[in-house]
Amino acid sequence: MLIKTRRDGFNHPAASEITPQAAYRQRRDLLRLMAGGAAGAALAAWASREAMAAVQRPGKLPALPSQPSAVAGAVTMEKPTPYEDATGYNNFYEFGTDKADPAQNAHTLRTAPWAVEIDGLVKKPAKFALDDLLKLAPQEERIYRLRCVEGWSMVIPWVGYSLAELVRRVEPLGSAKFVEFHTLADRATMPGIRSSVLDWPYVEGLRMDEALHPLTLLSFGMYGEVLPKQNGAPVRVVVPWKYGFKSAKSLVRIRFTEQEPKTAWNKAAANEYGFYSNVNPDVAHPRWSQATERRIGEGGLFAKRRKTLLFNGYEAQVGQLYAGMDLKKNY
Ligand SMILES: Nc1nc2c(c(=O)[nH]1)N[C@H]1C(S)=C(S)[C@@H](COP(=O)(O)O)O[C@H]1N2
Ligand SMILES: [Mo]
């Protein structure tokens, strides 16, 4: 059977339209995930991950994906970025500003014990221990693109569940219009926060409808394994239609607010990093075009750049959220 591709070369089939090849790949991945499966062994790997060096693969996830993704748009036919590239070329300024710094330095991050605090305009404020957060909803693998504002992109098989699952359970008040994400800022283990490049902690935010969109993922793993520290262990957000900096790593607090959150990058340079930061080839960054991108791990310096797609290729799924908005003003 031919894989039907859209003009843009990407394909976002509903679960029912997944081609045999994609279904095979998904089944194989699930089997691979489940092979790690006797819960005890997986938990042991989870517990011992602290002892592993950052360069080693961090081990299986304790909570296993239970089903292929049913979220329309969660599947891409593109080849995932090689693991070594996705874990060796990172932005995580708490561990340094060079792309190689997080892989070098993030081993000092302590991911256990870990808890995420939920507060602000919410009926059920709570503090979730990581283990409870992991089990809150069935996890699944979703292959999403991540597009950095610096002009590169990756394709990553993330593991997690829709952030909406968590939001629903804590019951935001009617007055809650935005969700604010706070990430860890620990001077003792994060060498990068001695620098004043950003105002720590790293804060990001979404409008409530964006946070509730099923594509917005609370992620605990990638490539079927626990998140490597440099990729935001033990829990991060992934917002696939926005520039990468919206995808906050190493989350410690989620706050519901009435006001638009003051985000770290917006505070650092408001004219360069707006609140929305939707991937948009027609809105240039003040210092460079956003029309094309370089796929990391693909053919080095001479690889052809790809055309960047509106909403990173997820327009069919998320375009409606911005109906009637001027995306040049709301960049
Ligand atoms: N806490 C925190 N989260 C962060 C960042 C950061 O510096 N600190 N960098 C962001 C940026 S700019 C990008 S492109 C992505 C990179 O994610 P990756 O390293 O997993 O590819 O993480 C985002 N989340
Ligand atoms: Mo980025």
Side-chain angles (χ1 to χ4, degrees):
M1 184 181 161
L2 260 172
I3 297 173
K4 195 171 140 261
T5 38
R6 296 186 342 181
R7 177 175 42 84
D8 56 35
F10 300 137
N11 198 3
H12 310 291
S16 61
E17 298 169 352
I18 291 172
T19 60
Q21 196 199 348
Y24 161 76
R25 211 195 90 78
Q26 230 164 17
R27 209 163 38 240
R28 187 201 60 192
D29 286 349
L30 279 171
L31 287 173
R32 186 163 52 81
L33 287 168
M34 285 183 291
L43 277 168
W46 178 252
S48 68
R49 74 201 186 286
E50 280 294 303
M52 295 180 176
V55 285
Q56 285 182 291
R57 297 179 68 131
K60 298 292 178 193
L61 275 162
L64 300 166
S66 60
Q67 65 210 21
S69 178
V71 179
V75 179
T76 170
M77 295 298 136
E78 293 173 275
K79 206 166 106 242
T81 297
Y83 184 86
E84 293 66 29
D85 292 307
T87 58
Y89 190 91
N90 302 100
N91 273 338
F92 199 168
Y93 277 22
E94 288 84 337
F95 294 104
T97 54
D98 283 355
K99 302 296 173 237
D101 284 346
Q104 274 293 315
N105 300 333
H107 62 92
T108 53
L109 174 68
R110 295 181 48 95
T111 56
W114 195 275
V116 178
E117 180 141 33
I118 318 280
D119 64 352
L121 302 172
V122 64
K123 216 174 279 171
K124 296 181 170 166
K127 192 165 183 173
F128 284 95
L130 183 67
D131 282 348
D132 296 328
L133 209 56
L134 277 164
K135 287 180 289 197
L136 195 77
Q139 294 198 39
E140 50 182 77
E141 181 173 81
R142 301 180 185 176
I143 304 176
Y144 286 167
R145 285 177 291 276
L146 184 134
R147 166 64 157 83
C148 181
V149 74
E150 294 164 314
W152 48 266
S153 63
M154 300 190 191
V155 176
I156 298 182
W158 302 103
V159 181
Y161 52 75
S162 293
L163 177 68
E165 299 277 357
L166 170 63
V167 174
R168 256 186 332 104
R169 283 170 174 79
V170 298
E171 299 181 31
L173 303 175
S175 51
K177 301 285 186 283
F178 296 92
V179 185
E180 202 173 271
F181 304 106
H182 295 231
T183 75
L184 186 70
D186 178 28
R187 208 159 264 275
T189 55
M190 297 174 138
I193 69 173
R194 273 180 248 133
S195 147
S196 56
V197 61
L198 291 173
D199 192 10
W200 314 106
Y202 192 96
V203 170
E204 255 310 329
L206 294 172
R207 211 169 59 187
M208 189 63 85
D209 59 344
E210 298 176 323
L212 288 171
H213 193 284
L215 284 192
T216 301
L217 191 68
L218 197 61
S219 175
F220 303 90
M222 52 190 243
Y223 298 82
E225 299 177 10
V226 170
L227 276 178
K229 291 178 176 179
Q230 60 269 37
N231 294 88
V235 55
R236 67 177 288 172
V237 182
V238 181
V239 195
W241 70 94
K242 294 179 180 278
Y243 291 118
F245 65 89
K246 301 296 285 182
S247 295
K249 292 175 167 179
S250 304
L251 271 185
V252 292
R253 183 177 175 204
I254 299 177
R255 195 165 83 96
F256 293 83
T257 66
E258 187 155 19
Q259 306 299 329
E260 188 178 284
K262 300 219 182 316
T263 66
W265 279 105
N266 186 254
K267 281 197 276 184
N271 65 321
E272 301 190 12
Y273 310 104
F275 177 75
Y276 286 94
S277 295
N278 291 317
V279 174
N280 190 338
D282 301 326
V283 177
H285 182 281
R287 290 182 280 141
W288 56 77
S289 160
Q290 291 291 3
T292 64
E293 67 201 56
R294 177 171 68 90
R295 181 61 51 81
I296 297 298
E298 209 178 62
L301 285 173
F302 303 107
K304 245 183 96 204
R305 292 181 72 88
R306 296 162 179 258
K307 280 200 158 126
T308 289
L309 304 172
L310 183 60
F311 299 116
N312 206 18
Y314 299 96
E315 182 180 7
Q317 290 79 32
V318 303
Q320 263 311 108
L321 298 176
Y322 310 101
M325 269 178 74
D326 181 342
L327 296 175
K328 292 215 160 90
K329 275 198 190 121
N330 300 284
Y331 58 89

